[in-house]
Each structure stands twice: as C-alpha cells, then as structure tokens.
CSV table of all heavy atoms in Angstrom, one decimal:
chain,number,residue,atom,x,y,z
A,1176,TYR,N,0.8,-1.2,0.0
A,1176,TYR,CA,0.0,0.0,0.0
A,1176,TYR,C,0.9,1.2,0.0
A,1176,TYR,O,1.7,1.5,0.9
A,1176,TYR,CB,-0.9,0.0,1.2
A,1176,TYR,CG,-1.9,1.1,1.3
A,1176,TYR,CD1,-3.2,1.0,0.6
A,1176,TYR,CD2,-1.6,2.3,2.0
A,1176,TYR,CE1,-4.0,2.1,0.7
A,1176,TYR,CE2,-2.5,3.4,2.0
A,1176,TYR,CZ,-3.8,3.2,1.4
A,1176,TYR,OH,-4.6,4.3,1.4
A,1177,PRO,N,0.8,2.1,-1.0
A,1177,PRO,CA,1.6,3.3,-1.1
A,1177,PRO,C,1.0,4.4,-0.2
A,1177,PRO,O,-0.1,4.9,-0.5
A,1177,PRO,CB,1.5,3.6,-2.6
A,1177,PRO,CG,0.2,3.1,-3.1
A,1177,PRO,CD,0.0,1.9,-2.3
A,1178,ILE,N,1.8,4.8,0.8
A,1178,ILE,CA,1.3,5.9,1.7
A,1178,ILE,C,1.5,7.2,1.0
A,1178,ILE,O,0.6,8.1,1.1
A,1178,ILE,CB,2.1,5.8,3.0
A,1178,ILE,CG1,2.0,4.5,3.8
A,1178,ILE,CG2,1.8,7.0,3.9
A,1178,ILE,CD1,0.6,4.2,4.3
A,1179,SER,N,2.5,7.3,0.3
A,1179,SER,CA,2.8,8.4,-0.6
A,1179,SER,C,3.7,8.0,-1.7
A,1179,SER,O,4.0,6.8,-1.9
A,1179,SER,CB,3.5,9.5,0.3
A,1179,SER,OG,4.8,9.1,0.6
A,1180,ARG,N,4.2,8.9,-2.4
A,1180,ARG,CA,5.1,8.7,-3.6
A,1180,ARG,C,6.4,8.1,-3.1
A,1180,ARG,O,7.1,7.4,-3.9
A,1180,ARG,CB,5.4,10.0,-4.4
A,1180,ARG,CG,6.2,9.8,-5.6
A,1180,ARG,CD,6.4,11.2,-6.3
A,1180,ARG,NE,7.4,11.1,-7.4
A,1180,ARG,CZ,7.7,12.1,-8.1
A,1180,ARG,NH1,7.2,13.3,-7.9
A,1180,ARG,NH2,8.5,11.9,-9.2
A,1181,TYR,N,6.7,8.3,-1.9
A,1181,TYR,CA,8.1,7.9,-1.4
A,1181,TYR,C,8.0,6.9,-0.3
A,1181,TYR,O,9.0,6.3,0.0
A,1181,TYR,CB,8.9,9.1,-0.8
A,1181,TYR,CG,8.9,10.3,-1.8
A,1181,TYR,CD1,8.1,11.4,-1.7
A,1181,TYR,CD2,9.8,10.1,-2.8
A,1181,TYR,CE1,8.2,12.4,-2.7
A,1181,TYR,CE2,10.0,11.2,-3.8
A,1181,TYR,CZ,9.1,12.3,-3.7
A,1181,TYR,OH,9.2,13.3,-4.6
A,1182,ILE,N,6.8,6.5,0.2
A,1182,ILE,CA,6.8,5.5,1.2
A,1182,ILE,C,5.8,4.4,0.8
A,1182,ILE,O,4.6,4.7,0.4
A,1182,ILE,CB,6.3,6.1,2.6
A,1182,ILE,CG1,7.3,7.2,2.9
A,1182,ILE,CG2,6.2,5.1,3.7
A,1182,ILE,CD1,6.8,8.0,4.2
A,1183,LEU,N,6.2,3.1,0.9
A,1183,LEU,CA,5.4,1.9,0.6
A,1183,LEU,C,5.2,1.0,1.8
A,1183,LEU,O,6.3,0.6,2.4
A,1183,LEU,CB,6.0,1.2,-0.6
A,1183,LEU,CG,5.2,-0.1,-1.0
A,1183,LEU,CD1,3.9,0.3,-1.7
A,1183,LEU,CD2,6.1,-0.8,-2.0
A,1184,LEU,N,4.1,0.8,2.3
A,1184,LEU,CA,3.8,0.0,3.5
A,1184,LEU,C,3.3,-1.4,3.0
A,1184,LEU,O,2.3,-1.5,2.2
A,1184,LEU,CB,2.8,0.6,4.4
A,1184,LEU,CG,2.6,0.0,5.8
A,1184,LEU,CD1,3.9,0.2,6.5
A,1184,LEU,CD2,1.5,0.7,6.5
A,1185,THR,N,3.9,-2.5,3.4
A,1185,THR,CA,3.5,-3.8,3.0
A,1185,THR,C,3.2,-4.7,4.3
A,1185,THR,O,4.2,-5.4,4.8
A,1185,THR,CB,4.6,-4.5,2.1
A,1185,THR,OG1,4.9,-3.6,1.1
A,1185,THR,CG2,4.1,-5.8,1.5
A,1186,PRO,N,2.1,-4.8,4.8
A,1186,PRO,CA,1.7,-5.8,5.8
A,1186,PRO,C,1.4,-7.1,5.1
A,1186,PRO,O,1.0,-7.2,4.0
A,1186,PRO,CB,0.5,-5.2,6.5
A,1186,PRO,CG,-0.3,-4.4,5.3
A,1186,PRO,CD,0.9,-3.9,4.5
A,1187,GLY,N,1.6,-8.2,5.9
A,1187,GLY,CA,1.2,-9.5,5.5
A,1187,GLY,C,1.3,-10.5,6.6
A,1187,GLY,O,1.7,-10.2,7.6
A,1188,PHE,N,1.1,-11.7,6.1
A,1188,PHE,CA,1.3,-12.9,7.0
A,1188,PHE,C,1.5,-14.1,6.2
A,1188,PHE,O,1.2,-14.2,5.1
A,1188,PHE,CB,0.1,-13.1,8.0
A,1188,PHE,CG,-1.1,-13.8,7.3
A,1188,PHE,CD1,-1.2,-15.2,7.3
A,1188,PHE,CD2,-2.0,-13.1,6.7
A,1188,PHE,CE1,-2.3,-15.8,6.7
A,1188,PHE,CE2,-3.2,-13.7,6.1
A,1188,PHE,CZ,-3.3,-15.1,6.1
A,1189,TYR,N,2.1,-15.2,6.9
A,1189,TYR,CA,2.3,-16.4,6.3
A,1189,TYR,C,2.0,-17.6,7.3
A,1189,TYR,O,2.3,-17.3,8.5
A,1189,TYR,CB,3.6,-16.6,5.5
A,1189,TYR,CG,4.8,-16.6,6.3
A,1189,TYR,CD1,5.3,-17.8,6.8
A,1189,TYR,CD2,5.5,-15.5,6.6
A,1189,TYR,CE1,6.5,-17.9,7.6
A,1189,TYR,CE2,6.7,-15.5,7.3
A,1189,TYR,CZ,7.2,-16.7,7.8
A,1189,TYR,OH,8.3,-16.7,8.6
A,1190,VAL,N,1.6,-18.7,6.8
A,1190,VAL,CA,1.5,-19.8,7.7
A,1190,VAL,C,2.1,-21.1,7.1
A,1190,VAL,O,1.9,-21.3,5.9
A,1190,VAL,CB,0.0,-20.1,8.0
A,1190,VAL,CG1,-0.9,-20.3,6.8
A,1190,VAL,CG2,-0.2,-21.4,8.9
A,1191,ILE,N,2.8,-21.8,7.9
A,1191,ILE,CA,3.4,-23.1,7.4
A,1191,ILE,C,2.7,-24.2,8.0
A,1191,ILE,O,2.5,-24.3,9.3
A,1191,ILE,CB,4.9,-23.2,7.8
A,1191,ILE,CG1,5.7,-22.0,7.1
A,1191,ILE,CG2,5.5,-24.5,7.3
A,1191,ILE,CD1,7.1,-22.0,7.5
A,1192,PHE,N,2.0,-25.1,7.2
A,1192,PHE,CA,1.3,-26.3,7.7
A,1192,PHE,C,2.2,-27.4,7.8
A,1192,PHE,O,3.0,-27.7,6.8
A,1192,PHE,CB,0.2,-26.6,6.8
A,1192,PHE,CG,-0.8,-25.4,6.7
A,1192,PHE,CD1,-0.8,-24.5,5.5
A,1192,PHE,CD2,-1.8,-25.2,7.6
A,1192,PHE,CE1,-1.6,-23.4,5.4
A,1192,PHE,CE2,-2.7,-24.1,7.5
A,1192,PHE,CZ,-2.6,-23.3,6.4
A,1193,ASP,N,2.2,-28.2,8.9
A,1193,ASP,CA,3.0,-29.4,9.1
A,1193,ASP,C,4.5,-29.1,8.9
A,1193,ASP,O,5.2,-29.5,8.0
A,1193,ASP,CB,2.6,-30.5,8.2
A,1193,ASP,CG,1.1,-30.9,8.4
A,1193,ASP,OD1,0.6,-30.7,9.4
A,1193,ASP,OD2,0.6,-31.3,7.3
A,1194,PRO,N,5.0,-28.1,9.7
A,1194,PRO,CA,6.5,-27.8,9.5
A,1194,PRO,C,7.5,-29.0,9.5
A,1194,PRO,O,7.2,-30.0,10.2
A,1194,PRO,CB,6.8,-26.9,10.7
A,1194,PRO,CG,5.4,-26.4,11.1
A,1194,PRO,CD,4.4,-27.5,10.8
A,1195,ASN,N,8.5,-28.8,8.8
A,1195,ASN,CA,9.5,-30.0,8.7
A,1195,ASN,C,8.9,-31.2,8.1
A,1195,ASN,O,9.4,-32.3,8.4
A,1195,ASN,CB,10.2,-30.2,10.1
A,1195,ASN,CG,11.2,-29.1,10.4
A,1195,ASN,OD1,11.7,-28.5,9.5
A,1195,ASN,ND2,11.5,-29.0,11.7
A,1196,ASN,N,7.9,-31.1,7.3
A,1196,ASN,CA,7.2,-32.3,6.7
A,1196,ASN,C,6.8,-33.3,7.7
A,1196,ASN,O,7.0,-34.5,7.5
A,1196,ASN,CB,8.2,-32.9,5.6
A,1196,ASN,CG,8.4,-31.9,4.4
A,1196,ASN,OD1,7.5,-31.3,4.0
A,1196,ASN,ND2,9.6,-31.9,4.0
A,1197,PHE,N,6.2,-32.8,8.8
A,1197,PHE,CA,5.9,-33.7,9.9
A,1197,PHE,C,4.5,-33.3,10.4
A,1197,PHE,O,4.4,-32.2,11.0
A,1197,PHE,CB,7.0,-33.7,11.0
A,1197,PHE,CG,6.8,-34.7,12.0
A,1197,PHE,CD1,6.8,-36.2,11.7
A,1197,PHE,CD2,6.6,-34.5,13.4
A,1197,PHE,CE1,6.5,-37.1,12.7
A,1197,PHE,CE2,6.5,-35.4,14.4
A,1197,PHE,CZ,6.4,-36.7,14.0
A,1198,SER,N,3.5,-34.0,10.3
A,1198,SER,CA,2.2,-33.6,10.6
A,1198,SER,C,1.9,-33.4,12.1
A,1198,SER,O,0.9,-32.7,12.4
A,1198,SER,CB,1.1,-34.6,10.0
A,1198,SER,OG,1.3,-35.9,10.7
A,1199,GLU,N,2.7,-33.9,12.9
A,1199,GLU,CA,2.6,-33.8,14.4
A,1199,GLU,C,3.1,-32.4,14.9
A,1199,GLU,O,2.8,-32.0,16.0
A,1199,GLU,CB,3.1,-34.9,15.1
A,1199,GLU,CG,2.5,-36.3,14.9
A,1199,GLU,CD,3.1,-37.4,15.6
A,1199,GLU,OE1,3.8,-37.2,16.7
A,1199,GLU,OE2,2.8,-38.6,15.3
A,1200,ASN,N,3.8,-31.7,14.0
A,1200,ASN,CA,4.3,-30.4,14.4
A,1200,ASN,C,3.1,-29.4,14.3
A,1200,ASN,O,2.4,-29.4,13.3
A,1200,ASN,CB,5.5,-29.9,13.5
A,1200,ASN,CG,6.7,-30.7,13.9
A,1200,ASN,OD1,6.9,-31.2,14.9
A,1200,ASN,ND2,7.6,-30.8,12.8
A,1201,GLY,N,3.1,-28.4,15.2
A,1201,GLY,CA,2.0,-27.4,15.1
A,1201,GLY,C,2.3,-26.4,14.0
A,1201,GLY,O,3.4,-26.2,13.7
A,1202,ASN,N,1.2,-25.9,13.4
A,1202,ASN,CA,1.3,-24.9,12.3
A,1202,ASN,C,2.1,-23.7,12.8
A,1202,ASN,O,1.9,-23.3,14.0
A,1202,ASN,CB,0.0,-24.5,11.7
A,1202,ASN,CG,-0.7,-25.8,11.2
A,1202,ASN,OD1,-0.1,-26.8,10.7
A,1202,ASN,ND2,-2.0,-25.8,11.1
A,1203,ILE,N,2.8,-23.0,12.0
A,1203,ILE,CA,3.5,-21.8,12.4
A,1203,ILE,C,2.8,-20.6,11.7
A,1203,ILE,O,2.7,-20.5,10.5
A,1203,ILE,CB,5.0,-21.9,11.9
A,1203,ILE,CG1,5.7,-23.0,12.7
A,1203,ILE,CG2,5.8,-20.6,12.2
A,1203,ILE,CD1,7.1,-23.3,12.2
A,1204,TRP,N,2.4,-19.6,12.4
A,1204,TRP,CA,1.8,-18.4,11.9
A,1204,TRP,C,2.7,-17.2,12.2
A,1204,TRP,O,3.2,-17.0,13.3
A,1204,TRP,CB,0.5,-18.2,12.5
A,1204,TRP,CG,-0.6,-19.2,12.3
A,1204,TRP,CD1,-0.7,-20.4,12.9
A,1204,TRP,CD2,-1.7,-19.0,11.4
A,1204,TRP,NE1,-1.8,-21.1,12.3
A,1204,TRP,CE2,-2.4,-20.3,11.5
A,1204,TRP,CE3,-2.1,-18.0,10.5
A,1204,TRP,CZ2,-3.5,-20.5,10.7
A,1204,TRP,CZ3,-3.2,-18.2,9.8
A,1204,TRP,CH2,-3.9,-19.4,9.8
C-alpha cells in the first residue's frame, strides 16, 4: 500500500502447515 510517492507499506502474514514435513508439528503463523 503506497502511503505516498516515497513510502510503501506492506503488511502481510504467512502460515506453514506441518512444519519440517511432519504432521505432528504445530502450524507456524
């Protein structure tokens, strides 16, 4: 999201399901 011509703000998130290819590991947010 461009706040102005000179400032760009980029919020976001990601989630990893079954980290380390192991379903018993909790998801990471």
Side-chain angles (χ1 to χ4, degrees):
Y1176 185 85
I1178 301 296
S1179 69
R1180 181 179 176 182
Y1181 305 103
I1182 302 175
L1183 180 68
L1184 191 66
T1185 308
F1188 77 90
Y1189 67 89
V1190 55
I1191 300 175
F1192 302 97
D1193 303 331
N1195 283 336
N1196 294 320
F1197 191 57
S1198 61
E1199 295 182 17
N1200 288 333
N1202 299 333
I1203 299 175
W1204 294 78

